[in-house]
Amino acid sequence: MENISSDIENITKEIKKEKSDTITYKVVEKFVSINGEGQKAGQLAIFIRFQGCNLNCVYCDTKWANQKEAKYHLMTAQQIIDYIKSTNVKNVTLTGGEPLRQENIMYLLEKLSLIENINVEIETNGSVSIAETKKIKNSPSITLDYKLPDSNMEKYMDLSNYDFLESKDTVKFVCSSINDLKKAKDIIEKYSLTSKCKVYLSSVFEKITPAEIVDFMKEHNMNDINLQLQMHKYIWDPNLKGV
Ligand SMILES: C[S@@+](CC[C@H](N)C(=O)[O-])C[C@H]1O[C@@H](n2cnc3c(N)ncnc32)[C@H](O)[C@@H]1O
Ligand SMILES: Nc1nc2[nH]cc(C(=O)O)c2c(=O)[nH]1
Ligand code: SF4
Ligand SMILES: [Mg+2]
C-alpha cells in the first residue's frame, strides 16, 4: 500500500511539473535598472515587461511592447523566478504592456508570493480588475493608473478597483494638461484616495512641466500627494529601452 501511495504522489508531482512547464508568459524584455517610478523610485529593481495591452493611451512610451508582432521570449514561471534569483536584486516590477492581461498571470503571482525577501509590484492600467490579486497571501503591491481624459482611455477605467486598495498600493495619475490635473483632483476627492493608499501625480514627458504640476498642487492645497517624475528619462535618453 505504501508503495502505491508514494507512486501516486510521484505521478501527481510529475503532472503538476508538466503543467507548470506548459504555462508560459510573453516577455518582451527583462532588465535590472533603478526604478524610475513609484514607491521604490531610485532603488534597484528587476523589470519584467510583458507583451500586449488592451488599451492604447495617446502618450504610451512602450507602444512597441503592445504590438502583436513584438518579439518576445516565452518564459515559464520557474524561468522568471530563476532570472529574479540570479540578479540578487529584491525589488521586482511586473509591467508591460498590461501585465494583468497576461494569460495565467495569477499562477506567476502566486509563485512569486512564496519567495522570501523580494518586493513584487505590478504596474497596471486601471481597466483590469485587481480583485484576484488580493486573494493571494503576501500579495504584490499594485500601482494602478487612472487614465485621464487626454489619454483617450478614461472610459475603460474599472472604478470597482478602488474597493480593494491597501496602504501598500498606489494610484497614479499621468497628466498631460491642466484639464487632466483637474480631473485627477476630482477623482482623488471623490474616492478619498489619500486615505486608502499612496497617490502620485506624474507628467507625460514633454506635455506638461513638473513646475506646472507643482503650481497646481500649491493652488489647490493638495496634501498627501507625491509629484513623480520618470527618473530614468532624465538619466538616460528617454527613448532608450532596457533602462
Ligand atoms: C508603460 S505602462 C505599463 C503598465 C500598464 N499598462 C499601465 O499603463 O499602467 C507603465 C507606466 O508608464 C506610464 N507611462 C506610459 N507612457 C508615459 C509617458 N509618455 N509619460 C509618463 N508616463 C508614462 C503609464 O501611465 C504607466 O503608469
Ligand atoms: N527605470 C525604469 N523604471 C520604471 N518604472 C516603471 C517602468 C515601466 O515601464 O513600467 C519603468 C521603466 O521602464 N524603467
Ligand atoms: S495601458 Fe499602459 S501599456 Fe497600455 S497603452 Fe496605456 S500606458 Fe501603454
Ligand atoms: Mg516605462
Side-chain angles (χ1 to χ4, degrees):
M1 272 307 269
E2 221 173 75
N3 275 345
I4 293 175
S5 65
S6 83
D7 281 353
I8 291 173
E9 212 173 280
N10 285 338
I11 291 167
T12 314
K13 268 192 201 151
E14 201 49 45
I15 291 172
K16 271 194 186 154
K17 189 178 171 310
E18 268 174 26
K19 187 175 169 251
S20 70
D21 286 345
T22 59
I23 295 176
T24 52
Y25 302 92
K26 296 177 178 174
V27 176
V28 288
E29 62 173 359
K30 57 184 193 331
F31 58 93
V32 172
S33 185
I34 51 113
N35 200 335
E37 306 171 24
Q39 291 186 38
K40 304 283 183 191
Q43 293 187 15
L44 284 178
I46 302 158
F47 292 88
I48 310 285
R49 192 181 304 284
F50 297 102
Q51 185 268 338
C53 186
N54 58 319
L55 300 187
N56 185 17
C57 303
V58 167
Y59 54 71
C60 180
D61 61 8
T62 51
K63 280 192 200 292
W64 62 272
N66 303 344
Q67 311 306 318
K68 277 220 163 60
E69 56 280 7
K71 232 178 103 207
Y72 54 78
H73 289 285
L74 286 176
M75 293 182 78
T76 63
Q78 193 54 51
Q79 285 170 329
I80 292 173
I81 289 167
D82 289 345
Y83 172 66
I84 291 170
K85 288 188 173 165
S86 76
T87 65
N88 283 323
V89 169
K90 68 179 203 182
N91 296 320
V92 180
T93 298
L94 304 179
T95 186
E98 176 46 50
L100 290 183
R101 290 280 294 211
Q102 222 19 238
E103 220 176 305
N104 293 309
I105 192 70
M106 292 307 298
Y107 178 78
L108 175 64
L109 298 185
E110 270 159 27
K111 290 276 175 203
L112 293 178
S113 74
L114 302 175
I115 305 175
E116 280 174 18
N117 299 323
I118 62 166
N119 303 310
V120 182
E121 167 206 32
I122 302 178
E123 296 261 345
T124 182
N125 65 25
S127 75
V128 187
S129 175
I130 61 169
E132 283 300 302
T133 71
K134 295 298 180 188
K135 294 180 184 161
I136 301 173
K137 201 172 153 212
N138 186 29
S139 66
S141 49
I142 304 284
T143 302
L144 181 82
D145 266 28
Y146 179 93
K147 300 295 181 191
L148 290 161
D150 288 8
S151 71
N152 267 350
M153 294 294 123
E154 191 180 17
K155 57 181 174 291
Y156 299 112
M157 293 300 94
D158 177 355
L159 299 173
S160 69
N161 275 333
Y162 299 155
D163 294 337
F164 301 100
L165 291 169
E166 300 174 83
S167 57
K168 66 181 176 184
D169 299 326
T170 304
V171 176
K172 179 165 142 196
F173 297 86
V174 175
C175 308
S176 305
S177 62
I178 298 295
N179 188 46
D180 271 359
L181 278 167
K182 285 183 185 157
K183 189 60 191 270
K185 181 175 171 291
D186 288 350
I187 297 291
I188 292 165
E189 287 169 3
K190 184 167 176 199
Y191 294 93
S192 307
L193 292 182
T194 53
S195 65
K196 293 181 175 148
C197 63
K198 312 279 184 310
V199 178
Y200 284 74
L201 293 178
S202 186
S203 57
V204 173
F205 208 67
E206 289 174 344
K207 276 278 173 195
I208 187 167
T209 63
E212 284 173 285
I213 298 183
V214 176
D215 283 344
F216 186 90
M217 290 170 75
K218 281 163 66 179
E219 194 184 327
H220 297 278
N221 297 318
M222 294 179 82
N223 290 304
D224 301 321
I225 288 168
N226 284 70
L227 168 68
Q228 146 96 84
L229 304 180
Q230 290 183 296
M231 224 186 261
H232 49 293
K233 293 192 183 168
Y234 294 84
I235 303 177
W236 296 283
D237 175 341
N239 298 313
L240 206 59
K241 290 181 192 171
V243 293

